[in-house]
Amino acid sequence: PRLGMLSWNIEAFIASGRRDLFFVPVAITYERLVEESSMVEELEGGAKQKESTLALVRARKYLERRFGSVFVNFGEPISLAQTLEGHRDLFLPEETTSAVAGKRALTESLGNEIVERINWAVVANATSVAASALLGEPRRGMFRSELTQRMREVVDLLRLQDVRMTPALVRDEGEFSESITFLLRAGLIKSEQESRGEILYYDESRRRALDVYRNVLFHFLVAPSLLARQLQRGATLSALRVDMGFWLDLLYREFFAPKATVLGLQLEAFLDYFERIGALERCDDQFRVTEKGRGYIAFLAEQTRSLIEAYYATCSAILNLEEATTAKQLEKSAEEQFARAHLLGEIQRVEGWNAVTFRNALDLLTRRGILESVAGEKDRERCYARGGAFEDLAGLRDRLASVLAAR
């Protein structure tokens, strides 16, 4: 959420004396992104390219290609007047320390709610469903029948959450032949014939692009994925609630899934669904994955691996922090830690590392008091030093490691 921009809107609304102001969540979903290559380049650490007239002229060749459809969907509007009910005294001219903190909390809460509603307005398309199916496996390829089965499983999980789907995806459901043809034509996947059937696979260089498309649906998959990680080790319902609460809090700013909704409505719905399809069984008060469900539950758990691995590498790098260090230096250290862990096989998903996730992890550790933001030697340079709760970092790193080790 752009909290600075949101704050300006709130203050301008109060100053104007208007009756109400509405924020309308808008979700835009692309079957294929025109700027796919530049987005991947930025995620890999490249600098954002400035727009120019020359670049626009050169872009004509891209417009000759087929990029599929674009879907625009609107979420439920949010009334600012209702949001501010009982809180307008926070915006009085004479600011106190508590008023400043209250304004920040209210603005952040509103920003989070807008993002949540944008997320829930997203329309699922074939590209994102296929990307989720492909990245849910430790291998880069699978037989066509395996891919279509995984795509059906993703669609069923989305339907359980009442996610809206594109007409093309609904029409193609079953064998997904049109969807797979589109992916092949777009160069996101390739095909190779084998005596046992057709193999559909992606090159290592396309992993980040697939991750970009999978992220369209990530907020719909993250709760069942985190749940699947806990179920791999067996757990009671009460233990699942505690664990899910911890992970939903820890990773909230990565996917903005409302904790109350997940724990209050979705958790038991997911468990019932897993039982219904034969992937899970109850023994007294204990949930256990069935032999039939091992592959499916592992597939779901894999969806969050790249994110957890990125947080694990960041925590591991920061454990070595001795003195105040700039964010840029910390990022370089964490990236090196990620690369070393990948060499050792501790980390498997190279697409998990990117500057955005690192900054989110840094922000999380600061808010938890594990790190403290301090002024650097240069003007406007921010550094990070050990915070009062720095000792909690080792326990957090170990907990991240334990869920990655679960099978």
Side-chain angles (χ1 to χ4, degrees):
R2 302 300 187 214
L3 299 182
M5 186 184 297
L6 197 55
S7 179
W8 300 338
N9 277 276
I10 295 172
E11 290 173 2
F13 167 70
I14 291 173
S16 72
R18 291 180 180 272
R19 190 173 57 189
D20 209 345
L21 174 69
F22 289 90
F23 294 96
V24 183
V26 183
I28 307 175
T29 312
Y30 300 84
E31 285 187 316
R32 182 86 192 276
L33 289 160
V34 177
E35 65 273 44
E36 176 190 296
S37 59
S38 61
M39 288 184 71
V40 169
E41 187 178 340
E42 286 177 40
L43 285 172
E44 292 177 342
K48 180 177 174 62
Q49 298 296 316
K50 291 184 178 180
E51 290 83 1
S52 66
T53 304
L54 180 60
L56 182 62
V57 172
R58 288 175 175 170
R60 286 183 301 173
K61 63 180 180 180
Y62 293 104
L63 301 181
E64 296 172 358
R65 301 177 186 175
R66 290 185 62 184
F67 288 90
S69 302
V70 180
F71 289 84
V72 182
N73 201 28
F74 300 91
E76 188 70 24
I78 298 171
S79 162
L80 184 55
Q82 289 182 5
T83 301
L84 289 172
E85 280 183 8
H87 300 288
R88 286 181 180 256
D89 57 331
L90 296 174
F91 295 86
L92 294 174
E94 55 278 2
E95 288 190 335
T96 63
T97 304
S98 61
V100 171
K103 279 199 294 186
R104 187 183 298 115
L106 184 141
T107 305
E108 184 173 337
S109 175
L110 176 59
N112 291 346
E113 185 178 0
I114 292 172
V115 176
E116 287 174 10
R117 294 197 186 192
I118 292 173
N119 275 348
W120 297 116
V122 163
V123 180
N125 60 31
T127 314
S128 51
V129 168
S132 302
L134 288 162
L135 293 178
E137 297 286 343
R139 48 193 170 140
R140 288 191 294 117
M142 58 183 82
F143 291 111
R144 178 182 281 260
S145 59
E146 293 177 312
L147 176 59
T148 55
Q149 175 61 27
R150 289 299 186 216
M151 289 178 72
R152 283 193 289 270
E153 289 168 351
V154 172
V155 167
D156 288 345
L157 203 53
L158 296 175
R159 191 163 277 135
L160 182 68
Q161 299 172 72
D162 294 324
V163 178
R164 183 182 171 188
M165 301 184 201
T166 64
L169 177 59
V170 173
R171 184 178 63 248
D172 200 30
E173 193 177 347
E175 296 305 313
F176 297 102
S177 54
E178 289 182 22
S179 304
I180 292 172
T181 299
F182 178 79
L183 293 169
L184 288 165
R185 191 169 57 236
L188 286 167
I189 62 174
K190 294 182 178 181
S191 171
E192 189 169 309
Q193 290 296 329
E194 207 254 0
S195 60
R196 292 170 292 174
E198 182 186 12
I199 300 173
L200 295 168
Y201 68 98
Y202 60 90
D203 286 337
E204 193 65 33
S205 61
R206 306 304 284 153
R207 188 185 285 274
R208 279 194 187 272
L210 288 169
D211 194 45
V212 168
Y213 290 110
R214 193 264 302 273
N215 283 344
V216 171
L217 300 178
F218 189 59
H219 52 286
F220 294 123
L221 300 176
V222 73
S225 177
L226 292 172
L227 180 58
R229 286 197 168 277
Q230 305 308 314
L231 289 171
Q232 285 179 319
R233 298 181 290 182
T236 62
L237 180 58
S238 58
L240 286 171
R241 286 190 178 280
V242 172
D243 271 335
M244 286 292 287
F246 171 81
W247 293 110
L248 291 169
D249 279 339
L250 185 76
L251 301 173
Y252 175 77
R253 287 170 181 259
E254 293 291 345
F255 48 82
F256 294 91
K259 179 179 173 180
T261 300
V262 174
L263 295 181
L265 299 173
Q266 294 184 336
L267 177 61
E268 294 200 40
F270 288 137
L271 292 172
D272 288 343
Y273 173 71
F274 294 159
E275 279 192 278
R276 194 164 66 248
I277 63 174
L280 195 67
E281 62 184 4
R282 300 186 194 220
C283 300
D284 296 325
D285 64 341
Q286 189 88 3
F287 288 96
R288 288 194 178 89
V289 178
T290 63
E291 190 62 35
K292 174 187 175 183
R294 287 188 186 281
Y296 175 69
I297 294 298
F299 164 73
L300 288 182
E302 198 70 15
Q303 299 294 336
T304 46
R305 173 172 288 279
S306 59
L307 177 61
I308 295 173
E309 287 181 342
Y311 272 68
Y312 168 76
T314 300
C315 290
S316 298
I318 292 174
L319 269 172
N320 299 320
L321 182 66
E322 296 294 340
E323 56 186 24
T325 307
T326 66
K328 193 169 184 179
Q329 290 170 323
L330 278 177
E331 182 177 349
K332 182 181 179 182
S333 175
E335 187 173 9
E336 291 170 350
Q337 177 67 39
F338 189 93
R340 287 192 296 269
H342 182 247
L343 287 174
L344 293 169
E346 297 172 351
I347 280 175
Q348 301 169 18
R349 297 293 189 167
V350 293
E351 73 273 14
W353 179 258
N354 62 76
V356 175
T357 300
F358 170 76
R359 287 195 295 268
N360 285 347
L362 209 59
D363 178 64
L364 169 76
L365 297 176
T366 304
R367 284 186 285 109
R368 293 195 166 211
I370 291 171
L371 291 179
E372 180 183 0
S373 178
V374 296
E377 294 180 2
K378 297 179 182 179
D379 291 342
R380 304 182 68 181
E381 181 183 57
R382 302 303 298 173
C383 289
Y384 292 87
R386 292 187 175 201
F390 189 81
E391 291 183 356
D392 295 344
L393 184 59
L396 176 58
R397 195 274 304 268
D398 291 345
R399 190 158 186 177
L400 289 161
S402 70
V403 295
L404 287 174
R407 287 288 186 274

